[in-house]
Amino acid sequence: MCIGACAGILSLGLRAAGGEADPSLSVAEAALFRAVNDYRAARGLGRWAADLGLTLIAREHSTEMLQRQTLTHDGFAARARRTGSRLCVENLVHGAAAPEVALSAWRRSLEHHANLLDAQVKWVGVGVAGRYATLLACTTPAAPAARSSEIPPTVNRP
């Protein structure tokens, strides 16, 4: 179990291109997506492309954390396998009302910061439920099976 913010990395094998937020994102998800991409761009890194499948997986995990009232990477290996990607990284945060607050917390952690700056991953999903957020970034977009999951669209959508 993690308190505040957690980072994870696992090595394993409807998208918006060009770093634009997926229109299916909630306001909070889109804001965090933009903040992360702006942070990467300011450091000379490419912007991550949004992927609906990764977003659904991230949103599902945030919803589970909200229901359990626990910030945890439990199940990260299974989430990463569901994507079908060979490499995924995951950042979690609880209690960060603004994207800048989440970014600030992640920048203070070596593991989180490394995940934000990972040049191998190109696709991202951001899921927010209540005050829990999951960022799941992978080398490839999620496999079609991940996109077909019956996952609620958003929780506490602003």
Side-chain angles (χ1 to χ4, degrees):
M1 177 167 69
C2 302
I3 307 292
C6 292
I9 186 166
L10 181 67
S11 188
L12 300 169
L14 186 72
R15 293 177 207 124
E20 296 298 316
D22 185 304
S24 67
L25 296 179
S26 71
V27 172
E29 291 166 343
L32 185 54
F33 172 82
R34 279 190 301 275
V36 167
N37 264 341
D38 289 349
Y39 183 75
R40 287 177 54 81
R43 277 134 195 88
L45 295 167
R47 292 178 177 272
W48 286 335
D51 178 70
L52 179 58
L54 296 176
T55 297
L56 293 174
I57 294 168
R59 191 178 290 154
E60 178 184 58
H61 185 57
S62 292
T63 301
E64 289 171 0
M65 290 189 297
L66 175 65
Q67 291 168 347
R68 294 170 39 195
Q69 292 293 295
T70 302
L71 187 72
T72 179
H73 279 287
D74 288 355
F76 174 59
R79 284 189 296 284
R81 277 192 299 276
R82 278 178 58 196
T83 72
S85 187
R86 67 172 182 79
L87 173 73
C88 293
V89 299
E90 178 179 78
N91 282 4
L92 308 176
V93 69
H94 172 254
E100 298 78 21
V101 176
L103 270 176
S104 177
W106 290 341
R107 286 192 320 258
R108 289 190 304 268
S109 159
L110 291 177
E111 294 86 4
H112 287 95
H113 199 240
N115 287 350
L116 291 173
L117 303 179
D118 194 312
Q120 295 179 75
V121 296
K122 308 292 183 195
W123 299 88
V124 69
V126 176
V128 175
R131 295 190 57 160
Y132 291 87
T134 301
L135 178 144
L136 180 63
C138 302
T139 54
T140 61
R147 287 193 287 278
S148 66
S149 297
E150 292 298 323
I151 300 169
T154 60
V155 172
N156 297 338
R157 189 176 191 140

